[in-house]
Structure formats: C-alpha cells, structure tokens
Amino acid sequence: MRVLRTPEARFENLPDYPFEPHYVAVDGGRLRVHYLDEQPEESAASGETVLLLHGNPSWSYLYRHVIPPLVEAGHRCVAVDLIGFGKSDKLADRFAYTYERHLGWLREAVFDRLDLREVTMVCHDWGGALGLPLLAAHPARFRRVVATNTGLSTGDEELGAGWPLMAAWLQSSQRTYPFEPSTIVDAFTVTGLDQAVLAAYDAPFPDEPYLTGIRQFPLLIPISPQDEYTPALRAAWAVLEGLELPFLCAFSDQDNVTRGDHSALSGRIPGAKGRAHPTITGAGHFLQEDAGAALATAVDDFIRSTVKEHSA
C-alpha cells in the first residue's frame, strides 16, 4: 500500500482545536492512527472513558465542542481519526479501503494498542457503521453506547423514500471534482460555519490522492442482500439484537439522512428499549457542529443515569 501522510502544517491554527495529538501504529506498523486523549484532573475523574467515533467526511475536529464539557464532567475522552481521515494516514489506492480492513484498523487501535475497556461509545454516521460491529464482536469492552444520526445497514433494508438521497450521495461522491469535504459538512448543518472552520474540514486533504477514503466509503454501504459484507453485518445484528447493554439514541431533529428516526436501532436493540431517547433540537446531520454542548449533556446524563445499571 502506498501511504500518504498529511503535512503537519495543514493543521496549524485550527479554530477551537487545541488538543495534543497522539499516535499509534497499526497494520504491522505500516499505518499511523491519530487520536485525541483528553483527561480530567485526577481528583475530578469519574472513571469513565468515552470513545468518540466520527463518520464521513469528517474527523476528530467534529468533536471539538463535545470533548471539553465531557472532560469537565470528569470523563476521559478518546477521539480517533479513522484511517483515511484527519491526521491519520491515507491510502493512495482507494480499493485498499474495505469494510473488513476499517474494522481491523479500528479494533487494533482502540483495543490492541490503547487497551480501552469499559467504554462509553459515541458513534456518528460511519462511526456507527464501524462501531456497532466492533461492539458486537467485543461487547465485554463496552459499558454503554450513544448512537447519533447513524445506523447499521446490511443490504436487506428497503431503501424506499431514502433512495434518492442515497443515489445522489453515491453519484456526487464519485463525480465531484474537486471534492471539498467542507461543502458536505456545510450542507448538512443548520448553523452557518465560519470559513476557518470549513477550511479545517478540508485540512487533512491537500489534493485528490488524499481523498480516496472519502470517495470509497459510500461504495462500501450495502444496498442489496447480495453485498459481500451482508453476511458479516447480519452476524453483527444477531449479537446486537440480544444485547442488554445500555443503549441511547440521540438523533437530531433536522438530519436530512435519518430525519430523526432512530427506530432501526432503538426498536431492535434490547438495551435501547424503554428508554427516553432525547432529540437534539436545532441541529442537522452534523449535530456536533450545531449543538455540541447539548450532545455532551445527553452523553453525560446517560452515563450518570446508568452507572448503577452497569454495576448491577
């Protein structure tokens, strides 16, 4: 694999992103994964670890307004950049990105290298499409989950009214040139974003060869039962449908993708049933931009309300 690494100069002076970078090596040492690891003062620590997973085409920058209030509440926050995104390495060959490899890289980074345990996972967009199979494969590593504007498709679902949006995204992700990730974030948020913030979403991608991960992700979403990943994802669902782990859906009211409907998760996962799932209001698909503090509050409230539940 030809590996590309975004020059550090691209990440200088990003707005509201003062966090210290950390790195681990995966895939036999060939690839470098970037992550944030923000921790509270020892005297204020809750003992909880929150793993924050981004989707496409964002990176850990998406969580810059979610992390500080969670750390202030006493929680350790680990935010990983998936391979192909953020400060993590990128691959020049788009076909080197597969569902299986993405899962392997993520598992190796957070479990084999960081040895995270008793995790509260917050997963968004593709962060859920990877994080939920990771949960199914390693449920003992997790305490609870907060899913936000995400899902886990197997290809068995009826696309129905959502097909035009899916088709438009599939086509635009392949045809648009030049491709600027910031235009996607800007289009799927409610609030206006400063130019410096938009530039931060483009920072990891100096030119076309760095964008292969973004372009390949949409093509990995199963859209029929004949998809090569369908059997593995069905197997993940077989575990999730028996999982009593505390599970919360915190979807936003103005998400063009889910339209606030989390029933595909909350209606199937036992740990989600009977809970009051909050709706994050005044927020689009990238709700971390529109309502980061509100999402942090929802996560903190869920952690605190389920501490005894986990102990039991």
CSV table of all heavy atoms in Angstrom, one decimal, residues 159-215:
chain,number,residue,atom,x,y,z
A,159,LEU,N,-34.9,0.5,0.8
A,159,LEU,CA,-34.4,1.9,0.8
A,159,LEU,C,-35.6,2.9,0.7
A,159,LEU,O,-35.5,4.0,1.2
A,159,LEU,CB,-33.5,2.1,-0.4
A,159,LEU,CG,-32.2,1.3,-0.3
A,159,LEU,CD1,-31.3,1.4,-1.5
A,159,LEU,CD2,-31.3,1.8,0.9
A,160,GLY,N,-36.6,2.5,0.0
A,160,GLY,CA,-37.8,3.4,-0.1
A,160,GLY,C,-37.6,4.8,-0.4
A,160,GLY,O,-36.8,5.2,-1.3
A,161,ALA,N,-38.2,5.7,0.4
A,161,ALA,CA,-38.1,7.1,0.2
A,161,ALA,C,-36.7,7.7,0.3
A,161,ALA,O,-36.4,8.8,-0.1
A,161,ALA,CB,-39.0,7.9,1.1
A,162,GLY,N,-35.8,6.9,1.0
A,162,GLY,CA,-34.4,7.4,1.2
A,162,GLY,C,-33.5,7.1,0.0
A,162,GLY,O,-32.4,7.6,0.0
A,163,TRP,N,-34.0,6.4,-1.0
A,163,TRP,CA,-33.1,6.1,-2.1
A,163,TRP,C,-32.7,7.3,-2.9
A,163,TRP,O,-31.5,7.3,-3.3
A,163,TRP,CB,-33.8,5.1,-3.0
A,163,TRP,CG,-33.0,4.8,-4.3
A,163,TRP,CD1,-33.4,5.1,-5.5
A,163,TRP,CD2,-31.7,4.3,-4.3
A,163,TRP,NE1,-32.4,4.7,-6.4
A,163,TRP,CE2,-31.3,4.2,-5.7
A,163,TRP,CE3,-30.8,3.8,-3.4
A,163,TRP,CZ2,-30.1,3.7,-6.1
A,163,TRP,CZ3,-29.5,3.4,-3.8
A,163,TRP,CH2,-29.2,3.3,-5.2
A,164,PRO,N,-33.5,8.3,-3.2
A,164,PRO,CA,-33.0,9.4,-4.0
A,164,PRO,C,-31.8,10.1,-3.3
A,164,PRO,O,-30.8,10.5,-4.0
A,164,PRO,CB,-34.2,10.3,-4.1
A,164,PRO,CG,-35.4,9.4,-4.0
A,164,PRO,CD,-35.0,8.4,-3.0
A,165,LEU,N,-31.9,10.3,-2.0
A,165,LEU,CA,-30.8,10.9,-1.3
A,165,LEU,C,-29.5,10.0,-1.3
A,165,LEU,O,-28.4,10.5,-1.6
A,165,LEU,CB,-31.1,11.2,0.2
A,165,LEU,CG,-30.1,11.9,1.0
A,165,LEU,CD1,-29.8,13.2,0.5
A,165,LEU,CD2,-30.5,12.0,2.5
A,166,MET,N,-29.7,8.7,-1.1
A,166,MET,CA,-28.6,7.8,-1.2
A,166,MET,C,-27.9,7.8,-2.6
A,166,MET,O,-26.7,7.9,-2.8
A,166,MET,CB,-29.0,6.4,-0.9
A,166,MET,CG,-28.0,5.3,-1.1
A,166,MET,SD,-26.5,5.4,-0.1
A,166,MET,CE,-27.2,4.7,1.4
A,167,ALA,N,-28.8,7.8,-3.6
A,167,ALA,CA,-28.3,7.8,-5.0
A,167,ALA,C,-27.5,9.1,-5.3
A,167,ALA,O,-26.5,9.0,-6.0
A,167,ALA,CB,-29.4,7.6,-6.0
A,168,ALA,N,-28.1,10.2,-4.9
A,168,ALA,CA,-27.4,11.5,-5.1
A,168,ALA,C,-26.0,11.5,-4.4
A,168,ALA,O,-25.1,12.0,-5.0
A,168,ALA,CB,-28.3,12.6,-4.6
A,169,TRP,N,-25.9,11.0,-3.2
A,169,TRP,CA,-24.7,11.0,-2.5
A,169,TRP,C,-23.7,10.0,-3.2
A,169,TRP,O,-22.5,10.3,-3.4
A,169,TRP,CB,-24.9,10.5,-1.1
A,169,TRP,CG,-23.7,10.3,-0.2
A,169,TRP,CD1,-23.5,9.2,0.6
A,169,TRP,CD2,-22.5,11.1,-0.1
A,169,TRP,NE1,-22.2,9.3,1.2
A,169,TRP,CE2,-21.6,10.4,0.8
A,169,TRP,CE3,-22.1,12.3,-0.6
A,169,TRP,CZ2,-20.4,11.0,1.2
A,169,TRP,CZ3,-20.9,12.8,-0.3
A,169,TRP,CH2,-20.0,12.2,0.6
A,170,LEU,N,-24.1,8.9,-3.6
A,170,LEU,CA,-23.3,7.9,-4.3
A,170,LEU,C,-22.7,8.6,-5.6
A,170,LEU,O,-21.5,8.5,-5.8
A,170,LEU,CB,-24.0,6.7,-4.7
A,170,LEU,CG,-24.4,5.7,-3.6
A,170,LEU,CD1,-25.3,4.6,-4.1
A,170,LEU,CD2,-23.1,5.1,-3.0
A,171,GLN,N,-23.5,9.2,-6.3
A,171,GLN,CA,-23.0,9.9,-7.6
A,171,GLN,C,-22.1,11.1,-7.3
A,171,GLN,O,-21.0,11.2,-7.9
A,171,GLN,CB,-24.2,10.3,-8.4
A,171,GLN,CG,-25.0,9.1,-9.0
A,171,GLN,CD,-26.0,9.6,-10.1
A,171,GLN,OE1,-26.3,10.7,-10.2
A,171,GLN,NE2,-26.4,8.6,-10.9
A,172,SER,N,-22.5,11.9,-6.4
A,172,SER,CA,-21.7,13.1,-6.1
A,172,SER,C,-20.4,12.8,-5.5
A,172,SER,O,-19.4,13.4,-5.8
A,172,SER,CB,-22.5,14.1,-5.2
A,172,SER,OG,-22.7,13.6,-3.9
A,173,SER,N,-20.3,11.7,-4.7
A,173,SER,CA,-19.1,11.3,-4.1
A,173,SER,C,-18.1,10.8,-5.1
A,173,SER,O,-16.9,10.9,-4.8
A,173,SER,CB,-19.3,10.3,-3.0
A,173,SER,OG,-19.8,9.1,-3.6
A,174,GLN,N,-18.6,10.4,-6.2
A,174,GLN,CA,-17.7,9.8,-7.2
A,174,GLN,C,-17.4,10.9,-8.3
A,174,GLN,O,-16.3,10.9,-8.9
A,174,GLN,CB,-18.3,8.6,-7.9
A,174,GLN,CG,-18.7,7.5,-6.9
A,174,GLN,CD,-17.6,7.2,-5.9
A,174,GLN,OE1,-16.5,6.8,-6.3
A,174,GLN,NE2,-17.8,7.3,-4.6
A,175,ARG,N,-18.3,11.7,-8.6
A,175,ARG,CA,-18.2,12.6,-9.8
A,175,ARG,C,-17.6,14.0,-9.5
A,175,ARG,O,-17.1,14.7,-10.3
A,175,ARG,CB,-19.6,12.8,-10.4
A,175,ARG,CG,-20.2,11.5,-11.0
A,175,ARG,CD,-21.6,11.8,-11.6
A,175,ARG,NE,-22.2,10.6,-12.2
A,175,ARG,CZ,-23.4,10.6,-12.7
A,175,ARG,NH1,-24.1,11.7,-12.8
A,175,ARG,NH2,-23.9,9.5,-13.3
A,176,THR,N,-17.8,14.5,-8.2
A,176,THR,CA,-17.5,15.8,-7.9
A,176,THR,C,-15.9,16.0,-7.9
A,176,THR,O,-15.2,15.2,-7.3
A,176,THR,CB,-18.0,16.2,-6.5
A,176,THR,OG1,-19.4,16.0,-6.5
A,176,THR,CG2,-17.6,17.6,-6.2
A,177,TYR,N,-15.5,17.0,-8.7
A,177,TYR,CA,-14.1,17.3,-8.7
A,177,TYR,C,-13.9,18.8,-9.0
A,177,TYR,O,-14.5,19.4,-9.9
A,177,TYR,CB,-13.4,16.6,-9.9
A,177,TYR,CG,-11.9,16.8,-9.9
A,177,TYR,CD1,-11.0,16.2,-9.1
A,177,TYR,CD2,-11.4,17.8,-10.7
A,177,TYR,CE1,-9.7,16.4,-9.1
A,177,TYR,CE2,-10.0,18.1,-10.8
A,177,TYR,CZ,-9.2,17.4,-9.9
A,177,TYR,OH,-7.8,17.7,-9.9
A,178,PRO,N,-13.2,19.5,-8.2
A,178,PRO,CA,-12.5,19.0,-7.0
A,178,PRO,C,-13.5,18.7,-5.8
A,178,PRO,O,-14.6,19.4,-5.8
A,178,PRO,CB,-11.5,20.1,-6.6
A,178,PRO,CG,-12.2,21.3,-7.1
A,178,PRO,CD,-12.9,20.9,-8.4
A,179,PHE,N,-13.2,17.8,-5.0
A,179,PHE,CA,-14.1,17.4,-3.9
A,179,PHE,C,-13.6,18.1,-2.6
A,179,PHE,O,-12.5,18.0,-2.2
A,179,PHE,CB,-14.1,15.9,-3.7
A,179,PHE,CG,-15.1,15.4,-2.7
A,179,PHE,CD1,-16.3,14.9,-3.1
A,179,PHE,CD2,-14.9,15.5,-1.3
A,179,PHE,CE1,-17.3,14.4,-2.2
A,179,PHE,CE2,-15.8,15.1,-0.4
A,179,PHE,CZ,-17.0,14.5,-0.9
A,180,GLU,N,-14.5,18.9,-2.0
A,180,GLU,CA,-14.1,19.6,-0.8
A,180,GLU,C,-15.1,19.1,0.3
A,180,GLU,O,-16.3,19.3,0.3
A,180,GLU,CB,-14.3,21.1,-0.9
A,180,GLU,CG,-13.3,21.7,-1.9
A,180,GLU,CD,-13.5,23.2,-2.0
A,180,GLU,OE1,-14.7,23.7,-1.9
A,180,GLU,OE2,-12.6,23.9,-2.3
A,181,PRO,N,-14.5,18.3,1.3
A,181,PRO,CA,-15.3,17.8,2.4
A,181,PRO,C,-16.2,18.9,3.1
A,181,PRO,O,-17.3,18.6,3.6
A,181,PRO,CB,-14.3,17.2,3.3
A,181,PRO,CG,-13.2,16.8,2.4
A,181,PRO,CD,-13.1,17.9,1.4
A,182,SER,N,-15.6,20.1,3.2
A,182,SER,CA,-16.3,21.1,3.9
A,182,SER,C,-17.7,21.4,3.3
A,182,SER,O,-18.6,21.9,4.0
A,182,SER,CB,-15.5,22.4,3.9
A,182,SER,OG,-15.3,22.9,2.6
A,183,THR,N,-17.8,21.2,2.0
A,183,THR,CA,-19.1,21.5,1.4
A,183,THR,C,-20.2,20.5,1.9
A,183,THR,O,-21.4,20.9,2.0
A,183,THR,CB,-19.0,21.4,-0.2
A,183,THR,OG1,-18.7,20.1,-0.5
A,183,THR,CG2,-18.0,22.4,-0.7
A,184,ILE,N,-19.8,19.3,2.2
A,184,ILE,CA,-20.8,18.3,2.7
A,184,ILE,C,-21.2,18.7,4.2
A,184,ILE,O,-22.3,18.7,4.5
A,184,ILE,CB,-20.2,16.9,2.7
A,184,ILE,CG1,-19.7,16.5,1.3
A,184,ILE,CG2,-21.1,15.9,3.3
A,184,ILE,CD1,-20.8,16.6,0.3
A,185,VAL,N,-20.1,19.0,5.0
A,185,VAL,CA,-20.4,19.4,6.4
A,185,VAL,C,-21.3,20.7,6.4
A,185,VAL,O,-22.3,20.8,7.1
A,185,VAL,CB,-19.1,19.7,7.1
A,185,VAL,CG1,-19.4,20.2,8.6
A,185,VAL,CG2,-18.3,18.4,7.2
A,186,ASP,N,-21.0,21.7,5.5
A,186,ASP,CA,-21.7,22.9,5.5
A,186,ASP,C,-23.2,22.7,5.0
A,186,ASP,O,-24.1,23.2,5.6
A,186,ASP,CB,-21.1,23.9,4.5
A,186,ASP,CG,-21.6,25.3,4.6
A,186,ASP,OD1,-21.9,25.7,5.7
A,186,ASP,OD2,-21.6,26.0,3.6
A,187,ALA,N,-23.4,21.7,4.1
A,187,ALA,CA,-24.7,21.5,3.6
A,187,ALA,C,-25.6,20.7,4.6
A,187,ALA,O,-26.8,20.9,4.5
A,187,ALA,CB,-24.6,20.7,2.3
A,188,PHE,N,-25.0,20.0,5.5
A,188,PHE,CA,-25.7,19.2,6.4
A,188,PHE,C,-25.6,19.7,7.9
A,188,PHE,O,-25.8,18.9,8.8
A,188,PHE,CB,-25.3,17.7,6.3
A,188,PHE,CG,-25.8,17.0,5.1
A,188,PHE,CD1,-25.1,17.1,3.9
A,188,PHE,CD2,-27.0,16.3,5.1
A,188,PHE,CE1,-25.5,16.5,2.7
A,188,PHE,CE2,-27.4,15.7,3.9
A,188,PHE,CZ,-26.7,15.8,2.7
A,189,THR,N,-25.4,21.0,8.0
A,189,THR,CA,-25.6,21.6,9.3
A,189,THR,C,-26.6,22.7,9.1
A,189,THR,O,-26.9,23.2,8.0
A,189,THR,CB,-24.2,22.3,9.8
A,189,THR,OG1,-23.7,23.1,8.7
A,189,THR,CG2,-23.2,21.2,10.1
A,190,VAL,N,-27.1,23.2,10.3
A,190,VAL,CA,-28.2,24.2,10.3
A,190,VAL,C,-27.6,25.6,10.5
A,190,VAL,O,-28.0,26.5,9.8
A,190,VAL,CB,-29.2,23.9,11.4
A,190,VAL,CG1,-30.2,25.0,11.5
A,190,VAL,CG2,-29.9,22.6,11.1
A,191,THR,N,-26.6,25.7,11.3
A,191,THR,CA,-25.9,27.0,11.6
A,191,THR,C,-24.9,27.3,10.5
A,191,THR,O,-24.3,26.4,9.9
A,191,THR,CB,-25.3,26.9,13.0
A,191,THR,OG1,-24.4,25.8,13.0
A,191,THR,CG2,-26.3,26.8,14.1
A,192,GLY,N,-24.6,28.5,10.3
A,192,GLY,CA,-23.6,29.0,9.4
A,192,GLY,C,-22.2,28.7,10.0
A,192,GLY,O,-22.0,29.0,11.2
A,193,LEU,N,-21.3,28.2,9.2
A,193,LEU,CA,-20.0,27.9,9.7
A,193,LEU,C,-19.0,28.9,9.1
A,193,LEU,O,-19.0,29.2,8.0
A,193,LEU,CB,-19.6,26.5,9.3
A,193,LEU,CG,-20.5,25.3,9.7
A,193,LEU,CD1,-19.9,24.0,9.3
A,193,LEU,CD2,-20.7,25.3,11.2
A,194,ASP,N,-18.1,29.3,10.0
A,194,ASP,CA,-17.0,30.3,9.6
A,194,ASP,C,-16.1,29.6,8.5
A,194,ASP,O,-15.9,28.4,8.5
A,194,ASP,CB,-16.2,30.7,10.8
A,194,ASP,CG,-16.9,31.5,11.8
A,194,ASP,OD1,-18.0,32.1,11.4
A,194,ASP,OD2,-16.5,31.6,12.9
A,195,GLN,N,-15.5,30.4,7.7
A,195,GLN,CA,-14.6,29.9,6.7
A,195,GLN,C,-13.5,29.2,7.3
A,195,GLN,O,-13.0,28.2,6.7
A,195,GLN,CB,-14.1,31.1,5.8
A,195,GLN,CG,-15.2,31.6,4.8
A,195,GLN,CD,-15.7,30.5,3.9
A,195,GLN,OE1,-14.9,29.7,3.3
A,195,GLN,NE2,-17.0,30.4,3.7
A,196,ALA,N,-13.0,29.6,8.4
A,196,ALA,CA,-11.8,29.0,9.1
A,196,ALA,C,-12.2,27.6,9.5
A,196,ALA,O,-11.4,26.6,9.5
A,196,ALA,CB,-11.3,29.8,10.2
A,197,VAL,N,-13.5,27.4,10.0
A,197,VAL,CA,-14.0,26.1,10.4
A,197,VAL,C,-14.1,25.2,9.1
A,197,VAL,O,-13.7,24.0,9.2
A,197,VAL,CB,-15.3,26.2,11.1
A,197,VAL,CG1,-16.0,24.8,11.3
A,197,VAL,CG2,-15.1,26.9,12.4
A,198,LEU,N,-14.7,25.7,8.1
A,198,LEU,CA,-14.8,24.9,6.9
A,198,LEU,C,-13.4,24.5,6.3
A,198,LEU,O,-13.2,23.4,5.9
A,198,LEU,CB,-15.5,25.7,5.8
A,198,LEU,CG,-17.0,26.1,6.1
A,198,LEU,CD1,-17.6,27.0,5.0
A,198,LEU,CD2,-17.8,24.8,6.2
A,199,ALA,N,-12.5,25.4,6.4
A,199,ALA,CA,-11.1,25.1,6.0
A,199,ALA,C,-10.5,24.0,6.8
A,199,ALA,O,-9.7,23.2,6.4
A,199,ALA,CB,-10.2,26.3,6.1
A,200,ALA,N,-10.9,23.9,8.1
A,200,ALA,CA,-10.4,22.8,9.0
A,200,ALA,C,-10.9,21.5,8.5
A,200,ALA,O,-10.1,20.5,8.7
A,200,ALA,CB,-10.8,23.1,10.4
A,201,TYR,N,-12.1,21.4,8.0
A,201,TYR,CA,-12.6,20.1,7.5
A,201,TYR,C,-11.9,19.7,6.2
A,201,TYR,O,-11.8,18.5,5.9
A,201,TYR,CB,-14.1,20.2,7.3
A,201,TYR,CG,-14.8,20.0,8.6
A,201,TYR,CD1,-15.4,21.1,9.2
A,201,TYR,CD2,-14.9,18.8,9.2
A,201,TYR,CE1,-16.1,21.0,10.4
A,201,TYR,CE2,-15.6,18.6,10.4
A,201,TYR,CZ,-16.2,19.7,11.0
A,201,TYR,OH,-16.9,19.6,12.2
A,202,ASP,N,-11.3,20.7,5.5
A,202,ASP,CA,-10.6,20.4,4.3
A,202,ASP,C,-9.1,20.1,4.5
A,202,ASP,O,-8.4,19.6,3.7
A,202,ASP,CB,-10.7,21.5,3.3
A,202,ASP,CG,-12.1,21.7,2.7
A,202,ASP,OD1,-12.8,20.7,2.7
A,202,ASP,OD2,-12.5,22.8,2.4
A,203,ALA,N,-8.6,20.5,5.7
A,203,ALA,CA,-7.2,20.5,6.0
A,203,ALA,C,-6.5,19.1,5.8
A,203,ALA,O,-5.4,19.1,5.3
A,203,ALA,CB,-7.0,21.0,7.5
A,204,PRO,N,-7.2,18.0,6.2
A,204,PRO,CA,-6.5,16.7,6.0
A,204,PRO,C,-6.2,16.3,4.6
A,204,PRO,O,-5.5,15.3,4.3
A,204,PRO,CB,-7.4,15.7,6.7
A,204,PRO,CG,-8.3,16.6,7.6
A,204,PRO,CD,-8.5,17.9,6.9
A,205,PHE,N,-6.8,17.0,3.6
A,205,PHE,CA,-6.9,16.5,2.2
A,205,PHE,C,-6.3,17.6,1.3
A,205,PHE,O,-7.0,18.4,0.6
A,205,PHE,CB,-8.3,16.2,1.8
A,205,PHE,CG,-9.0,15.4,2.9
A,205,PHE,CD1,-9.9,16.0,3.7
A,205,PHE,CD2,-8.8,14.1,3.0
A,205,PHE,CE1,-10.6,15.3,4.7
A,205,PHE,CE2,-9.4,13.3,4.0
A,205,PHE,CZ,-10.3,13.9,4.8
A,206,PRO,N,-4.9,17.6,1.1
A,206,PRO,CA,-4.3,18.7,0.3
A,206,PRO,C,-4.7,18.6,-1.2
A,206,PRO,O,-4.8,19.6,-1.8
A,206,PRO,CB,-2.8,18.4,0.5
A,206,PRO,CG,-2.7,17.6,1.7
A,206,PRO,CD,-4.0,16.8,1.8
A,207,ASP,N,-4.9,17.4,-1.7
A,207,ASP,CA,-5.3,17.2,-3.1
A,207,ASP,C,-5.9,15.8,-3.3
A,207,ASP,O,-6.1,15.1,-2.3
A,207,ASP,CB,-4.1,17.4,-4.0
A,207,ASP,CG,-2.9,16.6,-3.6
A,207,ASP,OD1,-3.0,15.4,-3.2
A,207,ASP,OD2,-1.7,17.1,-3.7
A,208,GLU,N,-6.2,15.5,-4.5
A,208,GLU,CA,-7.1,14.4,-4.8
A,208,GLU,C,-6.6,13.0,-4.3
A,208,GLU,O,-7.4,12.2,-3.8
A,208,GLU,CB,-7.2,14.3,-6.4
A,208,GLU,CG,-8.1,13.1,-6.8
A,208,GLU,CD,-9.5,13.2,-6.3
A,208,GLU,OE1,-10.0,14.3,-6.1
A,208,GLU,OE2,-10.1,12.1,-6.1
A,209,PRO,N,-5.3,12.7,-4.3
A,209,PRO,CA,-4.8,11.4,-3.8
A,209,PRO,C,-5.2,11.1,-2.4
A,209,PRO,O,-5.3,10.0,-2.0
A,209,PRO,CB,-3.3,11.4,-4.1
A,209,PRO,CG,-3.1,12.3,-5.2
A,209,PRO,CD,-4.2,13.4,-5.0
A,210,TYR,N,-5.4,12.2,-1.6
A,210,TYR,CA,-5.7,12.1,-0.2
A,210,TYR,C,-7.2,11.8,0.1
A,210,TYR,O,-7.5,11.5,1.2
A,210,TYR,CB,-5.3,13.3,0.6
A,210,TYR,CG,-3.8,13.6,0.7
A,210,TYR,CD1,-3.1,14.1,-0.4
A,210,TYR,CD2,-3.1,13.3,1.8
A,210,TYR,CE1,-1.7,14.3,-0.3
A,210,TYR,CE2,-1.7,13.5,1.9
A,210,TYR,CZ,-1.0,14.0,0.8
A,210,TYR,OH,0.3,14.2,0.9
A,211,LEU,N,-8.0,11.9,-1.0
A,211,LEU,CA,-9.4,11.8,-0.8
A,211,LEU,C,-10.0,10.4,-1.1
A,211,LEU,O,-11.2,10.2,-1.1
A,211,LEU,CB,-10.1,12.8,-1.8
A,211,LEU,CG,-9.9,14.3,-1.4
A,211,LEU,CD1,-10.3,15.1,-2.7
A,211,LEU,CD2,-10.8,14.7,-0.3
A,212,THR,N,-9.1,9.4,-1.3
A,212,THR,CA,-9.6,8.1,-1.7
A,212,THR,C,-10.5,7.5,-0.6
A,212,THR,O,-11.5,6.8,-1.0
A,212,THR,CB,-8.5,7.2,-2.0
A,212,THR,OG1,-7.6,7.1,-0.9
A,212,THR,CG2,-7.7,7.6,-3.2
A,213,GLY,N,-10.2,7.7,0.6
A,213,GLY,CA,-11.0,7.1,1.7
A,213,GLY,C,-12.4,7.7,1.7
A,213,GLY,O,-13.4,7.0,1.9
A,214,ILE,N,-12.5,9.0,1.5
A,214,ILE,CA,-13.8,9.7,1.5
A,214,ILE,C,-14.6,9.1,0.3
A,214,ILE,O,-15.8,8.9,0.4
A,214,ILE,CB,-13.7,11.2,1.3
A,214,ILE,CG1,-13.2,11.7,2.7
A,214,ILE,CG2,-15.0,11.9,0.9
A,214,ILE,CD1,-13.0,13.2,2.7
A,215,ARG,N,-14.0,9.0,-0.9
A,215,ARG,CA,-14.7,8.6,-2.1
A,215,ARG,C,-15.1,7.1,-2.0
A,215,ARG,O,-16.2,6.7,-2.5
A,215,ARG,CB,-13.9,8.8,-3.3
A,215,ARG,CG,-13.7,10.3,-3.7
A,215,ARG,CD,-13.2,10.4,-5.1
A,215,ARG,NE,-12.8,11.8,-5.4
A,215,ARG,CZ,-13.6,12.7,-5.9
A,215,ARG,NH1,-14.9,12.4,-6.0
A,215,ARG,NH2,-13.2,13.9,-6.3
